[in-house]
Amino acid sequence: RWRVRVTEVGRQLLRAEAERSLETSAQRRPSQCPLFPECGGCTYQDLDYSAQLVLKQAVLLDALDRAHAPRPAEIAIAASPERGWRSRAELHVQTRGAAVTLGLMAAGSRRVVDLSNCVQLSEALNEAVRELRALFRKQVALAGRLERIALAESGDGASRVAARARPFTARPLPQRQPARSSPPRRPAPRRPPAPALSGCRPSARSRQRRRPN
């Protein structure tokens, strides 16, 4: 249990900041990462790993229910190794004068936390992060032109790739044009009846048509 301070009241949610712990759960443990909870890359580092798996399963089921997506009654948990399991990552680059920071965003902030070593990244990617940091600190102008760096490692660990990641920009959905309605058709003007001509006698052909059989 925690004592919290409410910072924002929404229509269906409350946002709050933790002030102090009132009661510690038996599933809570000291975090294995020295950057927790400052770094926003991990959320459950202070929980026992088995409790993390149960909590992530509950988050997944809740997301499926909110989306009204069909799902099985139970979803099996396939646990990954607790450390060094990530072979991909996307890091932020932040420059302030001659200082260059390479890492992840701080929780609830736009400030980048310098990532010297991440417990979730593989050792090869951690080494790549250290090499890139050393390069950027020598070439600050290069770092200033970057916002994010995507890192990837091959399945056998023999190759590593670093690429510039473009920031995601949501494209507006195309607006559906309303169907064009054709203007109402005007009725054709009725022709006035031909005026009767006085003093005219019907022709012989007309008299034959009027003759009864």
Side-chain angles (χ1 to χ4, degrees):
R1 293 192 305 164
W2 288 80
R3 181 185 297 276
V4 299
R5 179 173 56 87
V6 176
T7 58
E8 180 182 348
V9 179
R11 294 182 59 184
Q12 298 182 354
L13 60 87
L14 295 175
R15 296 186 184 277
E17 294 181 356
E19 291 187 343
R20 66 186 181 92
S21 175
L22 302 178
E23 183 179 354
T24 303
S25 170
Q27 297 175 333
R28 193 169 294 277
R29 67 173 187 184
S31 172
Q32 299 183 15
C33 178
L35 299 177
F36 181 86
E38 179 187 11
C39 177
C42 300
T43 308
Y44 311 125
Q45 279 291 320
D46 56 344
L47 288 179
D48 182 74
Y49 191 55
S50 59
Q52 292 184 33
L53 298 177
V54 174
L55 182 57
K56 291 177 181 180
Q57 183 191 45
V59 171
L60 173 60
L61 294 177
D62 180 69
L64 294 175
D65 290 339
R66 289 176 180 270
H68 303 286
R71 66 171 179 85
E74 295 184 1
I75 296 180
I77 298 177
S80 62
E82 189 174 359
R83 301 175 62 98
W85 60 274
R86 293 193 61 171
S87 58
R88 294 189 179 189
E90 191 169 295
L91 306 181
H92 297 266
V93 183
Q94 192 171 72
T95 58
R96 293 181 178 178
V100 179
T101 305
L102 178 63
L104 299 172
M105 291 289 187
S109 171
R110 300 294 297 175
R111 179 177 58 86
V112 177
V113 177
D114 199 43
L115 196 65
S116 57
N117 186 75
C118 177
V119 297
Q120 292 193 357
L121 294 183
S122 67
E123 182 54 35
L125 287 191
N126 275 318
E127 182 63 27
V129 173
R130 290 188 285 268
E131 293 173 359
L132 286 172
R133 181 187 295 103
L135 173 64
F136 291 156
R137 288 178 177 175
K138 291 180 180 179
Q139 301 184 23
V140 180
L142 172 62
R145 295 196 297 268
L146 301 174
E147 293 184 15
R148 297 190 299 180
I149 292 290
L151 301 176
E153 179 185 354
S154 61
D156 57 1
S159 303
R160 297 173 300 173
V161 175
R164 178 182 181 182
R166 295 183 178 274
F168 173 77
T169 303
R171 296 181 178 180
L173 296 176
Q175 298 293 330
R176 187 175 182 180
Q177 298 295 332
R180 295 183 178 179
S181 58
S182 57
R185 298 182 61 181
R186 297 181 179 179
R190 300 182 62 181
R191 295 181 180 180
L197 299 178
S198 59
C200 295
R201 300 178 62 183
S203 61
R205 187 174 181 180
S206 175
R207 290 196 299 270
Q208 291 177 359
R209 289 181 179 177
R210 294 179 182 178
R211 183 177 301 173
N213 295 333

